[in-house]
């Protein structure tokens, strides 16, 4: 007997990806229910070869739901995730609302999959920030080999990380530039078309943005609290896939060749690293793919035991929807969750 799965925020970018990935991976669901706010009631979304009608999150009866993939934003999650958890629904939350809660596991299955065992305190498991997810997938196998001391990362994040309105803004601004039309800026603080914006989320008192702080705090929680990390997060005029320039300092020696071999055999990683024009991955090529791609692996001669590399992944998939579905699979594979119908 399969599970009953609800998708909260099913009409958004990530919600639609969740539906597609559940179908693609043949997730053991007897029923999948797309949910959104009342204004989306009756809209249709695709689930495999089926079309499903969206239902109202606020009035839906969750009594027989096993898993809720929550992708409706932090405010909605803060209101609904504890309520659903109290009803015995396991919530896998894509927002930042519960990531740093000590009673909520923050999980990337390739990195700390066993952490899902701690879900029972609140029946909530948190998905990390999209830029953190792909980073720790690449760091974990190298940390196991040579112990990471410090990481310096600059991100090149696509507009889809800011939602559908942000994608529309890039499209409309680009069109306006070519047609001499009016160029409107509403979603971003500055023009995004043919530009870069070195700000994602709000500024904090120390001068870092909240997005940069998330990468620091979440990497420590998921991977190792001893790792020192500093980040610069930049929004770029790319529709899908986040890219990262990563500089790593290790406690123990590790060569570029060793790192390349380790990453080729690491779960969730694909190495594309030919030292020739085009012998690397770009965000365009990673869009629609599940893997975290790693290129430009090289030794950094400015520090002892240093490496530099380029990491790219589809932020809507591994950075959000895919990771959430993998967390659900991790619960099932570890036999931590029985369908309510079967239990009854």
């Amino acid at each position: 007997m399969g599970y009953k799965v609800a998708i909260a925020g099913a009409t958004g970018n990530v919600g639609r990806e969740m539906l597609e990935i559940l179908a693609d991976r043949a997730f053991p669901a007897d029923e999948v229910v797309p949910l959104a706010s009342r204004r989306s009631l009756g809209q249709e979304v695709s689930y495999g070869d089926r079309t499903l009608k969206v239902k109202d999150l606020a009035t839906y009866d969750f009594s027989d739901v096993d898993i809720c993939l929550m992708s409706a934003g932090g405010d909605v999650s803060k209101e609904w995730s504890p309520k659903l958890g109290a009803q015995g629904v396991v919530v896998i939350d894509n927002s930042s609302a519960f990531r740093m809660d000590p009673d909520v596991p923050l999980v990337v299955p390739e990195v700390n999959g066993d952490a899902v065992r701690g879900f029972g305190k609140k029946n909530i498991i948190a998905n990390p920030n999209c830029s953190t997810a792909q980073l720790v997938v690449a760091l974990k196998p190298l940390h196991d080999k040579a112990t990471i001391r410090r990481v310096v990362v600059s991100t090149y994040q696509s507009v889809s990380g800011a939602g559908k309105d942000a994608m529309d803004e890039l499209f409309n601004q680009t069109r306006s530039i070519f047609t001499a039309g009016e160029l409107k800026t509403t979603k971003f603080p500055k023009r995004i078309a043919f530009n870069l914006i070195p700000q994602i989320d709000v500024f904090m008192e120390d001068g870092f943005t909240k997005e940069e702080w998330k990468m620091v705090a979440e990497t420590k929680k998921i991977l190792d609290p001893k790792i020192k990390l500093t980040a610069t997060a930049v929004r770029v005029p790319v529709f899908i896939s986040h890219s990262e320039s990563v500089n790593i300092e290790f406690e123990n020696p590790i060569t570029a060749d060793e790192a390349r071999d380790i990453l080729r055999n690491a779960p969730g990683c694909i190495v594309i690293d030919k030292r020739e024009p085009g012998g690397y991955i770009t965000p365009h090529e990673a869009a629609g793919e599940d893997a975290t791609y790693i290129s430009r692996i090289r030794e950094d001669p400015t520090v002892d035991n240093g490496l530099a590399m380029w990491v790219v992944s589809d932020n809507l998939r591994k950075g959000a929807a895919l990771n959430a579905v993998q967390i659900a699979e991790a619960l099932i594979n570890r036999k931590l969750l029985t369908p309510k119908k079967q239990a009854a």
Side-chain angles (χ1 to χ4, degrees), residues 51 96 105 153 168 200 264 269 336 344:
T51 299
S96 61
V153 56
D168 290 343
I200 299 179
R264 280 196 181 108
C269 295
L336 299 173

Side-chain angles (χ1 to χ4, degrees), residues 135-199:
L135 178 66
V136 296
V137 167
L139 293 182
K140 164 67 171 167
L142 301 177
H143 185 54
D144 288 346
K145 168 66 177 176
T147 309
I148 294 170
R149 178 179 293 161
R150 179 172 181 257
V151 179
V152 179
V153 56
S154 295
T155 72
Y156 306 79
Q157 293 179 227
S158 68
V159 294
S160 58
K164 184 180 181 300
D165 289 346
M167 298 176 77
D168 290 343
E169 185 158 310
L170 172 58
F171 177 84
N172 291 330
Q173 286 184 1
T174 304
R175 183 173 58 186
S176 294
I177 288 168
F178 282 107
T179 61
E182 183 184 1
L183 199 148
K184 294 181 181 178
T185 296
T186 54
K187 186 68 180 179
F188 296 112
K190 295 197 176 190
R191 167 181 140 177
I192 184 61
F194 300 97
N195 201 16
L196 305 177
I197 302 173
Q199 177 199 346

